[in-house]
Structures are given as structure tokens and as C-alpha cells.
Amino acid sequence: MTQAAANRFPVPALDKLPEDIRTRLMAVQEKSGFIPNVFLTLAYRPDEFRAFFAYHDALMDKEGGLTKAEREMIVVATSGANQCQYCVIAHGAILRIRAKNPLIADQIAVNYRKADITPRQRAMLDFAMKVATEAQKVSEADFAALDAHGFSNDDIWDIAAIASFFALSNRMANVTGMRPNDEFYLLGRVPK
């Protein structure tokens, strides 16, 4: 059952969007077969759309000490804590694909402490969750725990930045009434 992308703010018509945004939406549609509702919803405010996706891409598409699957683990765990249905469902699909594991997203969304992840990944998620839910309590002990697992300062920055950025995303998804696209539910669960 396909529902509106969001229910609280209008989704602009594709032909009314600025060319750069329309081009990006068409590229996403060509790659994935559909336009994720986050793109449609945030297109309501073009300048903010551009800023949002520029920072998203800088955090999520870069190379570094965190794998792309680990970056998605952070999104799924913190989005679950922030009760963001859209981000858990959408990024859960991306996590399943990047990890090549149909179970991992559900495990992390419900309780990452019991998920089939490494001790290093658990330390990463412990820190990400602290940033997401009680950043004011981050201390040197948190950095020492990450150091013990071999995370660099840049990795630690990435963990904190992803958790922080998706706190913004989670809140906007909830405020706008953003709905996960139906297509996300089966991605990475069943063979193509």
C-alpha cells in the first residue's frame, strides 16, 4: 500500500523543483528504482535540501576507518533510540545490503547489544548511542574505550557526527510525518 511521502508538509511536484535537485532525484530513481521519500519531503525547502544532502554525503559516502555498513549501523541504532520509523526502515535496508546480512538491521534496531556484531562494533554503537541520547555525559572514559578498539580520532569524530546528524534527520522525519517507502521493507532480505 503506497502512502504519501509525508503527511504534514506538501511534497513539491518534480517538474517544479530546481534543476539540480530534480537531476539528483532522477539519478536516485534510476539507481534504486524509486525515489526515497526523504528526498521528496526535504525538497520542500531546496536550500536546506542541498545542505542536508551535502553533509549526509560527506559523512556516509567517504572512505575511512569505518565501513559503509558500520556507518549504517550507527544510523539504525540511534534512529531506533530516537523512535524514527523512516530512518530505521530506510537505513535498515541499506545496512542489510551493505553488510550482506538480512538479519543485522533488525537486531541492531531492537537491541544492538544482542546483535551479531563484533566487540569493536559494539563499542562504536555504545558511543554513538551516548552521543544520541546523553551527549552531555561523554567523557574521557568513552574516548579511552574507543581507543582500546583501535578507533582513530577521525573515526571517533565520524561516529559522533553521524549520530548527531541523524538526530536532526530523525526529528525532521518525525515532524514531517515522513513515511518509509514500501520498497525498503524487502530490500536486502530476499535475493534479487
Side-chain angles (χ1 to χ4, degrees):
M1 173 171 113
T2 302
Q3 296 186 3
N7 62 20
R8 293 194 187 98
F9 294 90
V11 172
L14 292 177
D15 63 345
K16 302 290 185 209
L17 291 172
E19 183 63 32
D20 63 315
I21 293 175
R22 189 170 49 253
T23 298
R24 178 156 186 167
L25 295 182
M26 294 301 99
V28 169
Q29 183 176 38
E30 185 175 321
K31 181 178 180 182
S32 63
F34 65 99
I35 301 173
N37 287 338
V38 66
F39 289 91
L40 297 170
T41 303
L42 295 181
Y44 176 68
R45 304 280 293 258
D47 289 341
E48 293 167 35
F49 175 102
R50 292 179 188 102
F52 179 93
F53 283 107
Y55 196 42
H56 171 277
D57 296 350
L59 290 172
M60 301 303 287
D61 293 341
K62 68 190 263 185
E63 298 299 321
L66 304 179
T67 67
K68 288 184 179 183
E70 288 171 335
R71 292 172 192 279
E72 295 296 338
M73 287 178 188
I74 295 166
V75 178
V76 172
T78 60
S79 295
N82 290 326
Q83 298 183 44
C84 181
Q85 181 188 44
Y86 182 87
C87 291
V88 169
I89 301 300
H91 288 274
I94 298 167
L95 173 55
R96 289 189 297 272
I97 291 166
R98 291 196 167 160
K100 297 176 178 57
N101 179 339
L103 308 178
I104 195 68
D106 294 330
Q107 293 175 351
I108 288 176
V110 172
N111 184 350
Y112 75 92
R113 292 172 192 88
K114 294 184 179 185
D116 296 325
I117 58 176
T118 67
R120 179 181 186 275
Q121 291 166 336
R122 180 165 180 209
M124 173 189 76
L125 293 179
D126 284 342
F127 182 69
M129 292 293 279
K130 192 167 191 179
V131 170
T133 62
E134 49 187 3
Q136 73 281 6
K137 294 183 181 177
V138 170
S139 69
E140 286 304 314
D142 298 303
F143 293 100
L146 292 168
D147 288 342
H149 286 279
F151 287 102
S152 70
N153 279 338
D154 284 341
D155 298 335
I156 295 167
W157 181 285
D158 286 344
I159 296 165
I162 293 165
S164 299
F165 175 79
F166 278 92
L168 163 70
S169 182
N170 299 158
R171 283 153 179 81
M172 289 306 295
N174 281 326
V175 167
T176 61
M178 197 181 300
R179 302 283 307 170
N181 300 67
D182 294 346
E183 293 89 344
F184 282 127
Y185 288 93
L186 293 180
L187 287 176
R189 291 188 195 277
V190 293
K192 284 186 173 185

